[in-house]
């Protein structure tokens, strides 16, 4: 099979920091075009938006959407209707209804749709998954605590409805937990702490139960100063399996393991090439489903106003 | 095929008002057992809970769950694992994650799972659906306005997280709209009006867009006194298609149509018998998906305290 000719839509920070280098480093795919309202890229076809890109006559096999989730449905739909395979940044959309609609549309057209979760490419994730498949799990807990002032300075939109607040990083934790746990799980309790002057939560306290009744606790907090915490701890009858540093380090029964270096976005493009060549899709929307459940079941607790 | 031997779990108001009579009136199914913490029913096997029912040795083919959605996952899972077909009252569960898990479990076991939406059995719904399939739609609007003091006096749980507030009736409207519209749609804007002393919304103002970009507006309000409003209006290039009285009356291009009498729950049991005999499931969770989206995307507007 010849190389996948790829168009990127959205040339913001995530595209420049992660996607461009990962595409460059991946066999079987090459960047052919970009669409961006403000930016251009040398050496490839540049367009103002996806409609111009699709109408241009430049031959493309696939589109990678690096735009914010709001408004992405129309772009993904246009790409699929034009016969292109589609790769979606996380979260895959602003609503569940729209991503389920895209899933059906891609299936009907026989195209690959890939809802990506870059944190699943962190070095410890697949080893943890393999280990947990063989162990008897007792419980799990997640602590995802970071300083929003450091990571999202002045980004007003993350505090707006649909911006998801602390679930913007929290969904990364959920994307790992849904990957490493052998069982599905569902929310049983959700406390959302919301600043008095904002629409989205600054902290969330969640309790889940696996299908067989095991407890999973998750604490997301955006008010952490000093050391940052991105840890997932699974207690098993054979000992503990702990992922730290966002999944990049693995500690088994108290002993740090040697793991590969992180290849988050290179893994995504390698997987996308494989999906397209096999004519398959990967549309695991479960992290976003858990977030929607957390809002639907959430008890709102007002806290002091947040200013950047 | 012999009659489906059915067990009902939960013998509250909805079971007595609707399910018992509908089962009685439906060919191919018969009530064999009930499980209820407080009530008994003459002429059938009576148990305290579903575990007792499943362990009793009484032969059952299917279980109909009429309990509140909280805690229903464990019951449905137990039933499916015991090899029983399952029918779920609306909403099908407290979270989306759990209903998707049940869907997979039933599929793996080769059993029928039926997520029911009784309002879809209102007399005007299927005629409206058939009509809209042949017309060119321009827009739709929903007004679902009722007096919560009349319909839910003193029911504190509907105001709690997971109680869904005004979405408890609103999900009925969504179950009709998702059935009659030829296209899928997704939420683009959600305002949730929440009393200062309650956790759940007393009113919701929603804007959706269909896959092809047509607008759907929905207004849910629990503060309506006087005449109650349960109307869905679809504007088409050929004229208007209007459902009133919760879907039981159909007005096409201004003319009231003759429609059948409502058979909401009898339709559900007729459909369940058909699903079981064909070995199929009906797990359209889309109304609950829209509700979860409305919470996830919702802007919260505080309003005056609500007292019964």
């Amino acid at each position: 099979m010849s190389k996948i000719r790829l168009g990127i839509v959205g040339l913001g920070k995530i595209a420049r920091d992660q996607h461009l280098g990962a595409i460059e480093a991946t066999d079987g795919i090459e960047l052919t075009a970009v669409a961006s309202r403000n930016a251009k890229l040398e050496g490839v076809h540049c367009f103002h938006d996806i409609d111009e890109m699709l109408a241009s006559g430049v031959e493309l096999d696939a589109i990678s959407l690096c735009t914010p989730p709001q408004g992405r449905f129309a772009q993904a739909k246009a790409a699929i209707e034009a016969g292109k395979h589609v790769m979606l940044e996380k979260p895959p959309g602003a609503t569940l209804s729209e991503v389920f609609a895209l899933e059906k549309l891609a299936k009907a057209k026989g195209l690959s749709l890939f809802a990506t979760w870059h944190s699943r490419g962190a070095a410890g994730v697949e080893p943890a998954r393999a280990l947990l498949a063989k162990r008897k799990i007792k419980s799990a807990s997640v602590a995802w605590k970071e300083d929003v002032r450091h990571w999202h300075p002045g980004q007003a939109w993350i505090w707006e409805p649909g911006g998801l607040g602390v679930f913007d990083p929290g969904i990364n934790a959920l994307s790992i937990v849904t990957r490493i746990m052998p069982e599905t799980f569902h929310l049983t309790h959700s406390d959302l702490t919301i600043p008095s002057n904002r629409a989205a939560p600054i902290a969330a306290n969640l309790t889940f139960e696996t299908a067989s009744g095991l407890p999973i606790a998750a604490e997301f907090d955006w008010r952490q100063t000093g050391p940052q915490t991105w840890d997932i701890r699974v207690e098993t009858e054979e000992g503990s399996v702990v992922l730290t540093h966002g999944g990049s380090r693995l500690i088994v029964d108290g002993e740090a393991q040697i793991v590969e270096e992180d290849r988050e976005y290179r893994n995504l493009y390698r997987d996308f090439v494989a999906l397209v060549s096999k004519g398959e899709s990967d549309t695991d929307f479960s992290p976003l489903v858990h977030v929607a459940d957390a809002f639907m079941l959430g008890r709102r607790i007002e806290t002091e106003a947040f200013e950047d």
Side-chain angles (χ1 to χ4, degrees), chain A:
Chain A
M1 184 176 165
S2 56
K3 280 191 179 184
I4 295 169
R5 295 161 295 183
L6 181 74
I8 272 193
V9 181
L11 208 57
K13 186 168 161 52
I14 193 72
R16 290 184 180 275
D17 286 359
Q18 300 288 350
H19 288 256
L20 297 183
I23 295 162
E24 184 72 36
T26 305
D27 290 338
I29 192 162
E30 64 185 354
L31 188 64
T32 303
V34 300
S36 166
R37 247 178 289 183
N38 312 305
K40 285 186 182 289
L41 197 67
E42 225 169 301
V44 301
H45 301 279
C46 292
F47 302 100
H48 185 258
D49 59 31
I50 188 171
D51 294 325
E52 204 183 279
M53 182 191 265
L54 293 172
S56 69
V58 169
E59 290 194 7
L60 294 169
D61 307 299
I63 303 284
S64 180
L65 294 177
C66 306
T67 46
Q70 293 81 359
R72 207 189 281 155
F73 173 77
Q75 298 169 340
K77 180 168 174 275
I80 294 169
E81 286 179 344
K84 314 304 178 196
H85 307 289
V86 171
M87 175 163 154
L88 302 167
E89 248 296 348
K90 70 116 244 215
T95 63
L96 288 170
S97 306
E98 74 190 58
V99 298
F100 294 140
L102 290 179
E103 184 180 31
K104 274 190 196 166
L105 196 58
K107 198 171 179 185
K109 288 270 187 181
L111 294 165
S112 296
L113 179 66
F114 185 18
T116 69
W117 301 103
H118 64 79
S119 289
R120 289 183 176 176
V125 173
E126 288 307 311
R129 173 182 162 90
L131 202 59
L132 291 173
K134 293 180 289 188
R135 288 192 168 195
K136 191 153 171 53
I137 294 168
K138 295 196 291 186
S139 68
S141 61
V142 178
W144 220 254
K145 300 180 180 185
E146 58 178 51
D147 183 355
V148 65
R149 287 190 175 87
H150 177 78
W151 300 100
H152 297 281
Q155 290 181 19
W157 68 270
I158 52 169
W159 296 104
E160 288 300 298
L164 300 188
V166 76
F167 287 96
D168 178 79
I171 204 169
N172 294 333
L174 292 170
S175 76
I176 295 176
V177 184
T178 48
R179 179 73 189 158
I180 64 174
M181 293 292 282
E183 276 194 304
T184 62
F185 51 89
H186 58 271
L187 192 79
T188 57
H189 192 89
S190 164
D191 281 340
L192 307 178
T193 302
I194 303 177
S196 58
N197 61 336
R198 304 285 183 170
I202 197 165
N205 215 310
L206 311 175
T207 310
F208 300 90
E209 207 173 272
T210 70
S212 70
L214 305 174
I216 302 177
E219 246 185 293
F220 302 154
D221 205 318
W222 247 351
R223 297 167 298 188
Q224 176 106 328
T225 52
Q228 307 283 284
T229 310
W230 297 289
D231 295 349
I232 295 167
R233 187 175 182 89
V234 184
E235 302 295 346
T236 75
E237 297 203 341
E238 299 85 352
S240 61
V241 176
V242 183
L243 288 166
T244 67
H245 298 77
S248 63
R249 303 202 197 156
L250 176 63
I251 303 156
V252 179
D253 309 332
E255 298 214 6
Q257 309 292 301
I258 296 161
V259 284
E260 307 281 315
E261 64 166 327
D262 276 344
R263 300 171 43 94
E264 298 196 0
Y265 281 82
R266 276 175 290 163
N267 283 354
L268 295 186
Y269 279 97
R270 176 203 64 195
D271 292 349
F272 188 49
V273 170
L275 286 170
V276 170
S277 79
K278 288 185 286 183
E280 292 175 3
S281 284
D282 180 349
T283 51
D284 178 6
F285 302 127
S286 62
L288 189 60
V289 172
H290 286 302
V291 171
D293 282 341
F295 276 91
M296 182 162 63
L297 230 66
R299 180 179 296 279
R300 278 147 191 89
I301 300 162
E302 191 176 304
T303 192
E304 55 180 337
F306 175 85
E307 304 296 347
D308 271 298

